Amino acid sequence: MTELTGPARTHTNRASLSHKIRYAVQNPDRVRPYLRRLARDCSLRLTTRDHVAYYRAVMKADAATSPSAAVGSASHERWLALGQMQFDYLIRHGLTSKDRMLEIGCGNLRAGWRFIDYLDVGHYYGIDISPEILLAAGDTLVQQRLQDKRPHLSLVRDLRLAALPDAYFTVVHAHSVFSHSPIEVIDECLAHIGRVMAPNAFFDFTYNRTDGTEHHVLREDFYYRTGTLTALAETHGLTARPMEDWDQLPHKQSKIRITL
Ligand SMILES: C[S@@+](CC[C@H](N)C(=O)[O-])C[C@H]1O[C@@H](n2cnc3c(N)ncnc32)[C@H](O)[C@@H]1O
């Protein structure tokens, strides 16, 4: 589940047999980890009732080894750098300390601790489906000595956002969450996000882009065409636009911005 950097190969179908064989030949050291994930996939498919339960189990197993690796960073330096990249991007796009931010899939606060530090007291809300990663988020908060900023960190079982107030958030952020989500989870989020967004708010999310066939790898990594996601947003009365300046950064995912 590592977030590789570098330009996306947008036509590659990672679920195809030919890709798997080519990848295995070029990366023999990745074969054993892949087979371990494949075995886990077979077992979780039998024991979990839906995708959220499935992915929660993936996070539980991965966070037990390393919370930073579970959110996709191979080292602490990479964890710091990817959080900084998310923070700097939103600062360039006008984030102010007065904004009220919702971070969907906040993980162990890789970017979240920087937002909490920057925003006014109580202005950061992080939600996640994984209890283990939220415990790790608490650890990050302590390490960064940010208790006085009183962020809200909540466990959720879906993305209906039912516990959150109407028209409240001015910035909504979801980094590397829809890249791990089937279309019905994204649809659920887009169906409800408009209710919690303030009139001039925006919602940025990243996704794995393909210009070829949409596919997933072991239900952990999902690849979508941009048009699928923008059209889905429009069915919920939202406006969606691809953020081309994000594509210039050394990150393999693309970004879409949603407005009301
Ligand atoms: C790759 S991590 C990224 C974490 C954080 N956004 C960051 O950039 O460090 C994905 C996170 O999204 C959470 N997640 C996955 N699906 C979710 C969903 N449907 N609702 C809320 N959180 C979800 C996972 O538990 C995990 O913490």
Side-chain angles (χ1 to χ4, degrees), residues 201-216:
F202 63 84
F203 167 29
D204 282 2
F205 65 83
T206 62
Y207 65 105
N208 288 321
R209 192 179 100 225
T210 179
D211 295 333
T213 308
E214 296 186 338
H215 60 283
H216 68 81

Side-chain angles (χ1 to χ4, degrees), residues 166-196:
D166 283 4
Y168 185 73
F169 295 101
T170 55
V171 175
V172 185
H173 179 70
H175 179 95
S176 197
V177 181
F178 290 175
S179 46
H180 304 297
S181 302
I183 201 73
E184 59 272 17
V185 169
I186 301 175
D187 186 46
E188 180 180 70
C189 182
L190 293 174
H192 293 93
I193 200 70
R195 181 185 66 78
V196 303

Side-chain angles (χ1 to χ4, degrees), residues 181-255:
S181 302
I183 201 73
E184 59 272 17
V185 169
I186 301 175
D187 186 46
E188 180 180 70
C189 182
L190 293 174
H192 293 93
I193 200 70
R195 181 185 66 78
V196 303
M197 287 168 70
N200 292 321
F202 63 84
F203 167 29
D204 282 2
F205 65 83
T206 62
Y207 65 105
N208 288 321
R209 192 179 100 225
T210 179
D211 295 333
T213 308
E214 296 186 338
H215 60 283
H216 68 81
V217 179
L218 298 178
R219 271 158 280 276
E220 289 185 35
D221 300 305
F222 291 78
Y223 293 80
Y224 295 106
R225 295 170 75 93
T226 302
T228 298
L229 299 178
T230 55
L232 189 61
E234 279 155 23
T235 66
H236 294 293
L238 304 165
T239 301
R241 78 177 158 106
M243 300 304 282
E244 283 161 14
D245 60 345
W246 175 265
D247 281 346
Q248 310 308 314
L249 300 174
H251 190 270
K252 69 166 186 165
Q253 296 180 16
S254 292
K255 192 185 281 273

Side-chain angles (χ1 to χ4, degrees), residues 60-74:
K60 180 176 183 172
D62 288 353
T65 312
S66 156
S68 297
V71 299
S73 291

Side-chain angles (χ1 to χ4, degrees), residues 33-80:
Y34 175 82
L35 291 176
R36 271 199 298 272
R37 283 173 59 198
L38 182 62
R40 178 170 75 182
D41 174 58
C42 293
S43 144
L44 289 181
R45 274 160 64 188
L46 294 173
T47 54
T48 54
R49 66 190 176 287
D50 59 20
H51 180 76
V52 167
Y54 179 99
Y55 204 72
R56 186 178 274 166
V58 167
M59 288 302 291
K60 180 176 183 172
D62 288 353
T65 312
S66 156
S68 297
V71 299
S73 291
S75 68
H76 187 60
E77 290 66 36
R78 295 277 289 276
W79 185 86
L80 287 171

